């Protein structure tokens, strides 16, 4: 099987491709990280250990190594090559980048959300239980909203790291901002100008992201005294 090309129309706009990598990776990584955080707090040791060692592996190894393993390593496994679904994922650099970044940020997100959940007073949980709330209702209406408020500043930093982490996708043939900058550099030899512009674009994206996080934080903490 040959590797395919994903998002052919978007490859001409590296900025949009970088945003797509970020949005998809964060969307997948947040939900997976939330599940892992809940698993970490499980009373079942096996369930908690699965989430614990997942986090240990992905936080303890470089994202660049993970990208190489997904793009170059998985493609060598006969089962992956022979399965239409798995091959569709690993046969393209963009999809591999989304998968690797999502799994990586899920590990960090799980630790951030776990810290937020642990900060919730036990009395609130007991009060919810005494009022007749189910475990799921208590989590949805009390524990999760409070955990998000506590974890949002740290999670905002993780989002910024994800944006910067998308630059590593250029090492597996993805022409996002850094990948396009490398191509322009090889054509024009204007190293300083090209990468300065790339850095400004990343800075602009992160500044917008920081502003959005502050607005959301202000909305969630509007009941707190300034």
């Amino acid at each position: 099987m040959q590797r395919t090309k994903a998002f052919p129309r978007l490859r001409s706009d590296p900025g949009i491709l970088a945003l797509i990598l970020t949005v998809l990776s964060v969307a997948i990584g947040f939900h997976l990280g939330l599940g892992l955080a809940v698993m970490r707090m499980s009373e079942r040791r096996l369930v908690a250990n699965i989430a614990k060692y997942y986090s240990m592996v992905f936080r303890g190894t470089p994202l660049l190594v993970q990208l190489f393993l997904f793009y170059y390593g998985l493609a060598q496994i006969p089962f992956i090559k022979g399965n239409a679904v798995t091959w569709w994922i690993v046969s393209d650099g963009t999809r591999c980048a989304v998968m690797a970044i999502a799994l990586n940020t899920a590990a960090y997100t799980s630790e951030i959300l776990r810290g937020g959940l642990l900060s919730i007073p036990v009395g609130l949980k007991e009060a919810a239980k005494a009022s007749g709330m189910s475990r799921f209702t208590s989590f949805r209406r009390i524990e999760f909203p409070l955990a998000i408020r506590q974890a949002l500043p740290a999670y905002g930093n993780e989002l910024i790291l994800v944006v910067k982490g998308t630059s590593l996708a250029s090492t597996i043939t993805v022409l996002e901002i850094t990948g396009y900058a490398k191509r322009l550099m090889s054509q024009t030899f204007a190293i300083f100008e090209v990468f300065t512009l790339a850095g400004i674009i990343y800075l602009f994206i992160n500044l917008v992201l920081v502003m959005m996080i502050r607005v959301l934080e202000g909305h969630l903490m509007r009941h707190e005294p300034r």
Side-chain angles (χ1 to χ4, degrees):
M1 294 185 181
Q2 296 181 347
R3 293 188 182 274
T4 59
K5 293 184 177 181
F7 309 118
R9 295 181 180 179
L10 297 177
R11 288 184 180 276
S12 60
D13 194 328
I16 292 179
L17 185 53
L19 289 176
I20 288 177
L21 287 174
T22 302
V23 171
L24 292 179
S25 300
V26 168
I28 298 171
F30 179 83
H31 289 89
L32 180 57
L34 178 59
L36 290 169
V38 174
M39 290 173 63
R40 282 293 301 273
M41 301 185 67
S42 173
E43 296 179 356
R44 298 181 180 180
R45 180 173 297 182
L46 176 61
V47 174
N49 283 339
I50 291 175
K52 175 182 178 181
Y53 290 117
Y54 173 95
S55 176
M56 184 183 301
V57 169
F58 279 91
R59 291 192 301 125
T61 55
L63 176 57
L64 182 60
V65 173
Q66 296 166 18
L67 282 167
F68 284 167
L69 286 175
F70 284 122
Y71 187 68
Y72 297 110
L74 293 182
Q76 307 302 317
I77 301 175
F79 170 77
I80 300 295
K81 296 179 67 175
N83 186 285
V85 176
T86 54
W87 180 251
W88 181 83
I89 296 175
V90 304
S91 63
D92 176 79
T94 304
R95 292 189 284 264
C96 275
V98 170
M99 179 175 63
I101 297 172
L103 294 177
N104 181 273
T105 189
Y108 289 94
T109 301
S110 68
E111 296 297 326
I112 294 171
L113 294 179
R114 174 172 168 265
L117 291 171
L118 289 174
S119 68
I120 299 173
V122 178
L124 289 178
K125 301 178 184 179
E126 294 177 348
K129 184 178 181 180
S131 65
M133 286 187 182
S134 64
R135 186 71 181 86
F136 176 76
T137 303
S138 174
F139 180 83
R140 179 175 61 87
R141 300 185 62 180
I142 298 177
E143 298 175 38
F144 180 70
L146 291 176
I148 286 295
R149 292 175 187 173
Q150 298 295 327
L152 187 58
Y155 187 64
N157 292 332
E158 173 60 19
L159 293 180
I160 293 174
L161 292 176
V162 171
V163 173
K164 294 189 292 186
T166 60
S167 64
L168 296 177
S170 63
T171 61
I172 55 172
T173 72
V174 179
L175 287 179
E176 43 72 66
I177 297 173
T178 302
Y180 196 74
K182 291 168 64 176
R183 170 177 287 188
L184 287 178
M185 180 195 69
S186 64
Q187 295 174 348
T188 64
F189 298 100
I191 300 174
F192 183 81
E193 294 86 348
V194 169
F195 281 100
T196 297
L197 180 59
I200 292 174
I201 295 174
Y202 281 114
L203 179 61
F204 175 77
I205 294 174
N206 282 325
L207 287 176
V208 172
L209 184 59
V210 168
M211 292 175 61
M212 293 173 61
I213 293 171
R214 288 183 176 177
V215 170
L216 179 59
E217 186 176 2
H219 175 73
L220 293 177
M221 303 298 292
R222 63 188 183 279
H223 63 284
E224 298 287 343
R226 294 185 179 274

